[in-house]
Amino acid sequence: FVSPAAAETLQTTVVEHPLLSSFGVVVAITVPAVAAIGYGVYNLRNYLLKKKIERNIKALGDPKKRFKALLVLKEIEDPSVVPALIEVLKSSDHGIREYGVSALASIGEPAVPLLAEALNNPDENIRFGSILALAEINDQSAINSVMQFFKIIGTNIFAVGKPLANIMTMYSSTN
């Protein structure tokens, strides 16, 4: 416990607690201690986020918890969840697949490489969901991935439907 003047001399931060200050007591924390506290809070936040991601990825396997887990993972927008979200596209539940696409699209550009890779998946739902997510992301690398996919399989992109309209619009404006 130090006076505010002494705290300044010691390069400390003064922390006033309402109960202690009513008795004229001031607590001083050194600058390195403040930095350590900040670093500790940052690490705690990252640890809790990692645990939240792990818990919700695990919940994707439970049909009763899957939708809520998708909501949480979509909100987090962390690229580390992309592989788990791509697996969601296998679901027989159309609503779950649709929300999986939306969650993947919310991650944006960091999801593009894995979504482009998923275009080669033997599961038709994963391929189509990946195309839809790439269409929603609507970034040049996403568009190039989809266009390359259609060149490889020799399919007319117009036969696939409306979800790809924005890809065609952007592709035609860049070529």
Side-chain angles (χ1 to χ4, degrees):
F1 299 105
V2 297
S3 72
E8 187 175 322
T9 304
L10 296 170
Q11 292 186 323
T12 58
T13 299
V14 175
V15 179
E16 291 192 28
H17 186 279
L19 181 61
L20 294 176
S21 63
S22 67
F23 294 104
V25 176
V26 177
V27 177
I29 302 175
T30 65
V31 172
V34 170
I37 290 168
Y39 183 72
V41 168
Y42 174 78
N43 281 338
L44 177 61
R45 182 191 162 279
N46 285 344
Y47 172 79
L48 293 174
L49 179 62
K50 182 180 175 187
K51 290 298 179 186
K52 185 176 187 177
I53 289 170
E54 290 171 0
R55 189 173 53 252
N56 283 284
I57 286 175
K58 185 177 179 183
L60 290 174
D62 182 343
K64 293 179 181 177
K65 297 178 181 177
R66 187 173 293 147
F67 186 73
K68 184 176 180 184
L70 278 170
L71 290 173
V72 171
L73 293 173
K74 180 180 179 185
E75 184 180 303
I76 292 173
E77 297 181 356
D78 189 292
S80 70
V81 305
V82 171
L85 292 175
I86 288 174
E87 286 299 307
V88 165
L89 301 178
K90 288 182 181 178
S91 174
S92 59
D93 182 328
H94 176 73
I96 292 295
R97 286 195 315 265
E98 191 174 300
Y99 210 78
V101 166
S102 179
L104 284 161
S106 73
I107 293 168
E109 190 273 326
V112 171
L114 287 175
L115 286 168
E117 188 178 309
L119 293 173
N120 299 317
N121 193 295
D123 187 297
E124 183 178 295
N125 287 332
I126 288 181
R127 286 194 312 270
F128 190 67
S130 296
I131 289 169
L132 295 176
L134 288 165
E136 279 189 48
I137 292 170
N138 201 17
D139 121 318
Q140 190 60 50
S141 61
I143 291 165
N144 292 342
S145 298
V146 174
M147 296 309 294
Q148 183 62 31
F149 171 74
F150 283 108
K151 285 178 186 174
I152 290 170
I153 64 169
T155 301
N156 180 345
I157 195 167
F158 295 106
V160 178
K162 289 183 179 182
L164 301 176
N166 59 347
I167 280 189
M168 286 309 300
T169 301
M170 193 164 175
Y171 182 76
S172 64
S173 69
T174 60
N175 289 323

